[in-house]
PDB file of all heavy atoms in Angstrom:
ATOM      1  N   TRP A1509       9.797  -1.690  -4.981  1.00  0.00           N
ATOM      2  CA  TRP A1509      10.729  -1.840  -3.832  1.00  0.00           C
ATOM      3  C   TRP A1509      10.375  -3.312  -3.363  1.00  0.00           C
ATOM      4  O   TRP A1509       9.362  -3.762  -3.346  1.00  0.00           O
ATOM      5  CB  TRP A1509      10.356  -0.916  -2.689  1.00  0.00           C
ATOM      6  CG  TRP A1509      11.052   0.454  -2.810  1.00  0.00           C
ATOM      7  CD1 TRP A1509      10.829   1.408  -3.785  1.00  0.00           C
ATOM      8  CD2 TRP A1509      12.015   0.917  -1.948  1.00  0.00           C
ATOM      9  NE1 TRP A1509      11.685   2.451  -3.546  1.00  0.00           N
ATOM     10  CE2 TRP A1509      12.376   2.198  -2.462  1.00  0.00           C
ATOM     11  CE3 TRP A1509      12.680   0.459  -0.803  1.00  0.00           C
ATOM     12  CZ2 TRP A1509      13.365   2.961  -1.842  1.00  0.00           C
ATOM     13  CZ3 TRP A1509      13.643   1.300  -0.220  1.00  0.00           C
ATOM     14  CH2 TRP A1509      13.919   2.522  -0.770  1.00  0.00           C
ATOM     15  N   ALA A1510      11.532  -3.996  -2.992  1.00  0.00           N
ATOM     16  CA  ALA A1510      11.407  -5.218  -2.439  1.00  0.00           C
ATOM     17  C   ALA A1510      10.606  -5.265  -1.134  1.00  0.00           C
ATOM     18  O   ALA A1510       9.847  -6.218  -0.783  1.00  0.00           O
ATOM     19  CB  ALA A1510      12.734  -6.010  -2.235  1.00  0.00           C
ATOM     20  N   VAL A1511      10.844  -4.220  -0.357  1.00  0.00           N
ATOM     21  CA  VAL A1511      10.213  -4.128   1.013  1.00  0.00           C
ATOM     22  C   VAL A1511       9.675  -2.772   1.031  1.00  0.00           C
ATOM     23  O   VAL A1511      10.293  -1.801   0.740  1.00  0.00           O
ATOM     24  CB  VAL A1511      11.165  -4.401   2.121  1.00  0.00           C
ATOM     25  CG1 VAL A1511      10.449  -4.119   3.427  1.00  0.00           C
ATOM     26  CG2 VAL A1511      11.710  -5.728   2.166  1.00  0.00           C
ATOM     27  N   PRO A1512       8.378  -2.487   1.485  1.00  0.00           N
ATOM     28  CA  PRO A1512       7.852  -1.225   1.620  1.00  0.00           C
ATOM     29  C   PRO A1512       8.606  -0.362   2.495  1.00  0.00           C
ATOM     30  O   PRO A1512       9.256  -0.826   3.502  1.00  0.00           O
ATOM     31  CB  PRO A1512       6.414  -1.414   2.091  1.00  0.00           C
ATOM     32  CG  PRO A1512       6.061  -2.821   1.611  1.00  0.00           C
ATOM     33  CD  PRO A1512       7.422  -3.620   1.722  1.00  0.00           C
ATOM     34  N   VAL A1513       8.634   0.945   2.256  1.00  0.00           N
ATOM     35  CA  VAL A1513       9.418   1.899   3.108  1.00  0.00           C
ATOM     36  C   VAL A1513       8.824   1.968   4.519  1.00  0.00           C
ATOM     37  O   VAL A1513       9.613   2.025   5.507  1.00  0.00           O
ATOM     38  CB  VAL A1513       9.348   3.252   2.493  1.00  0.00           C
ATOM     39  CG1 VAL A1513      10.095   4.299   3.395  1.00  0.00           C
ATOM     40  CG2 VAL A1513      10.117   3.233   1.095  1.00  0.00           C
ATOM     41  N   LEU A1514       7.456   1.972   4.653  1.00  0.00           N
ATOM     42  CA  LEU A1514       6.888   2.163   5.944  1.00  0.00           C
ATOM     43  C   LEU A1514       5.958   0.971   6.183  1.00  0.00           C
ATOM     44  O   LEU A1514       5.284   0.532   5.293  1.00  0.00           O
ATOM     45  CB  LEU A1514       6.023   3.494   5.935  1.00  0.00           C
ATOM     46  CG  LEU A1514       6.828   4.758   5.808  1.00  0.00           C
ATOM     47  CD1 LEU A1514       5.865   5.858   5.757  1.00  0.00           C
ATOM     48  CD2 LEU A1514       7.793   4.980   6.964  1.00  0.00           C
ATOM     49  N   GLN A1515       5.847   0.610   7.446  1.00  0.00           N
ATOM     50  CA  GLN A1515       4.993  -0.499   7.903  1.00  0.00           C
ATOM     51  C   GLN A1515       4.339  -0.146   9.283  1.00  0.00           C
ATOM     52  O   GLN A1515       4.969   0.473  10.053  1.00  0.00           O
ATOM     53  CB  GLN A1515       5.713  -1.734   8.064  1.00  0.00           C
ATOM     54  CG  GLN A1515       6.400  -2.338   6.798  1.00  0.00           C
ATOM     55  CD  GLN A1515       5.323  -3.159   6.088  1.00  0.00           C
ATOM     56  OE1 GLN A1515       4.386  -3.665   6.579  1.00  0.00           O
ATOM     57  NE2 GLN A1515       5.595  -3.485   4.761  1.00  0.00           N
ATOM     58  N   VAL A1516       3.057  -0.534   9.396  1.00  0.00           N
ATOM     59  CA  VAL A1516       2.447  -0.497  10.766  1.00  0.00           C
ATOM     60  C   VAL A1516       2.005  -1.888  11.162  1.00  0.00           C
ATOM     61  O   VAL A1516       1.303  -2.599  10.342  1.00  0.00           O
ATOM     62  CB  VAL A1516       1.224   0.503  10.794  1.00  0.00           C
ATOM     63  CG1 VAL A1516       0.717   0.558  12.154  1.00  0.00           C
ATOM     64  CG2 VAL A1516       1.512   1.788  10.189  1.00  0.00           C
ATOM     65  N   GLY A1517       2.362  -2.375  12.268  1.00  0.00           N
ATOM     66  CA  GLY A1517       1.979  -3.743  12.776  1.00  0.00           C
ATOM     67  C   GLY A1517       1.752  -3.762  14.223  1.00  0.00           C
ATOM     68  O   GLY A1517       1.705  -2.549  14.832  1.00  0.00           O
ATOM     69  N   ALA A1518       1.550  -4.857  14.835  1.00  0.00           N
ATOM     70  CA  ALA A1518       1.333  -5.050  16.188  1.00  0.00           C
ATOM     71  C   ALA A1518       1.836  -6.352  16.670  1.00  0.00           C
ATOM     72  O   ALA A1518       1.848  -7.315  15.936  1.00  0.00           O
ATOM     73  CB  ALA A1518      -0.209  -4.921  16.504  1.00  0.00           C
ATOM     74  N   PRO A1519       2.300  -6.446  17.892  1.00  0.00           N
ATOM     75  CA  PRO A1519       2.930  -7.696  18.520  1.00  0.00           C
ATOM     76  C   PRO A1519       1.687  -8.544  18.717  1.00  0.00           C
ATOM     77  O   PRO A1519       0.670  -8.164  19.293  1.00  0.00           O
ATOM     78  CB  PRO A1519       3.601  -7.217  19.690  1.00  0.00           C
ATOM     79  CG  PRO A1519       2.979  -5.922  20.234  1.00  0.00           C
ATOM     80  CD  PRO A1519       2.515  -5.331  18.980  1.00  0.00           C
ATOM     81  N   ALA A1520       1.817  -9.903  18.435  1.00  0.00           N
ATOM     82  CA  ALA A1520       0.891 -10.893  18.845  1.00  0.00           C
ATOM     83  C   ALA A1520       1.096 -11.105  20.423  1.00  0.00           C
ATOM     84  O   ALA A1520       2.014 -10.695  21.072  1.00  0.00           O
ATOM     85  CB  ALA A1520       1.162 -12.205  18.079  1.00  0.00           C
ATOM     86  N   THR A1521       0.013 -11.701  20.938  1.00  0.00           N
ATOM     87  CA  THR A1521       0.073 -11.998  22.427  1.00  0.00           C
ATOM     88  C   THR A1521       1.401 -12.752  22.726  1.00  0.00           C
ATOM     89  O   THR A1521       1.714 -13.684  22.206  1.00  0.00           O
ATOM     90  CB  THR A1521      -1.057 -12.851  22.872  1.00  0.00           C
ATOM     91  OG1 THR A1521      -2.362 -12.182  22.471  1.00  0.00           O
ATOM     92  CG2 THR A1521      -1.124 -13.167  24.309  1.00  0.00           C
ATOM     93  N   GLY A1522       2.171 -12.144  23.673  1.00  0.00           N
ATOM     94  CA  GLY A1522       3.434 -12.733  24.157  1.00  0.00           C
ATOM     95  C   GLY A1522       4.542 -12.289  23.346  1.00  0.00           C
ATOM     96  O   GLY A1522       5.686 -12.637  23.652  1.00  0.00           O
ATOM     97  N   GLY A1523       4.351 -11.426  22.243  1.00  0.00           N
ATOM     98  CA  GLY A1523       5.413 -10.931  21.439  1.00  0.00           C
ATOM     99  C   GLY A1523       5.876  -9.552  21.847  1.00  0.00           C
ATOM    100  O   GLY A1523       5.171  -8.886  22.639  1.00  0.00           O
ATOM    101  N   ASN A1524       6.723  -8.957  20.964  1.00  0.00           N
ATOM    102  CA  ASN A1524       7.121  -7.532  21.141  1.00  0.00           C
ATOM    103  C   ASN A1524       7.400  -6.994  19.716  1.00  0.00           C
ATOM    104  O   ASN A1524       7.566  -7.796  18.757  1.00  0.00           O
ATOM    105  CB  ASN A1524       8.306  -7.400  22.125  1.00  0.00           C
ATOM    106  CG  ASN A1524       9.500  -8.247  21.711  1.00  0.00           C
ATOM    107  OD1 ASN A1524      10.188  -7.842  20.735  1.00  0.00           O
ATOM    108  ND2 ASN A1524       9.769  -9.219  22.416  1.00  0.00           N
ATOM    109  N   CYS A1525       7.590  -5.630  19.676  1.00  0.00           N
ATOM    110  CA  CYS A1525       7.848  -5.078  18.356  1.00  0.00           C
ATOM    111  C   CYS A1525       9.199  -5.325  17.884  1.00  0.00           C
ATOM    112  O   CYS A1525       9.403  -5.345  16.623  1.00  0.00           O
ATOM    113  CB  CYS A1525       7.660  -3.546  18.549  1.00  0.00           C
ATOM    114  SG  CYS A1525       5.891  -3.024  18.657  1.00  0.00           S
TER     115      CYS A1525
END
Side-chain angles (χ1 to χ4, degrees):
W1509 276 67
V1511 176
V1513 173
L1514 299 173
Q1515 294 278 340
V1516 186
T1521 301
N1524 60 69
C1525 287

